[in-house]
Amino acid sequence: MFADLSAEDIDTFADMVQYRTYPKNSFIVNQNDIGSTMYLLVSGRVKVSLASPDGKELALNYLEAPAHFGEMSLVDAEPRSADVIAVTDVELFSLDAKDLSSAIQLNPRLALSLIATLSRRLRHTIARLEDMAFHDATHRVMRVLLNVATASYETRGVPVIQGLTHYDIATLAGTSRETASRIISNLAKEGVVATKGRKIVVDLIKLRERLEGQ
Ligand code: CMP
């Protein structure tokens, strides 16, 4: 996002942001709060999620540094759309609404970069909606496994799911922990995944074939 800022602009930008740390499990943003700050995630991982009044959770997304969040309330002046929770210790820079416009004036490409992120998220949400409307829990759990393992393969070269519990996978797939565990154990029996301690190693080719065969 800031790659093409000059050293001078980076200095100006650095004066606008505040460095903050949040411990694992803390709420950084609360759904429905009024928000006037956006966050640049420098290290760690956060979960964007919704909670129902009866305590159910739907994880919308996990974001890993470098990423940003909390920009929606700044752009549309509506309350926060979701909770954002630190799932590891995190380091952030916070940026106030008034400074976001100054930062965009400093480098108008920032606005395009924000729009690109929002478009990617909308596409991701459309894919989730499609899965919820047209596919069963088995398909949705397999899709979550495929997405997370593919991202791991692209960034780390290994199709491994780590740092996510069966509960986390269930909240991403919109199902119960029990159902997600049953589906993962069936996939393990078929040799599509292998569980090693707290890691799940995914055979991407077999998993893709299973999804396409459905
Ligand atoms: P805001 O509504 O200000 O506060 C919650 C933030 O969560 C929101 O801005 C976005 O930055 C982020 N967010 C909301 N929905 C998603 C999503 N589907 N994927 C990733 N991030 C999201």
Side-chain angles (χ1 to χ4, degrees), residues 95-117:
L95 178 69
D96 284 342
K98 61 173 174 27
D99 290 328
L100 176 62
S101 1
S102 313
I104 289 173
Q105 275 162 25
L106 203 62
N107 182 6
R109 288 184 59 148
L110 283 182
L112 279 179
S113 171
L114 275 180
I115 294 170
T117 307

Side-chain angles (χ1 to χ4, degrees), residues 29 48 60-61 63 69-73 80-82 84 121 125:
V29 163
V48 182
L60 295 173
N61 219 331
L63 305 177
F69 59 88
E71 67 300 285
M72 285 170 56
S73 293
R80 297 295 194 189
S81 57
V84 183
R121 281 185 199 157
T125 306

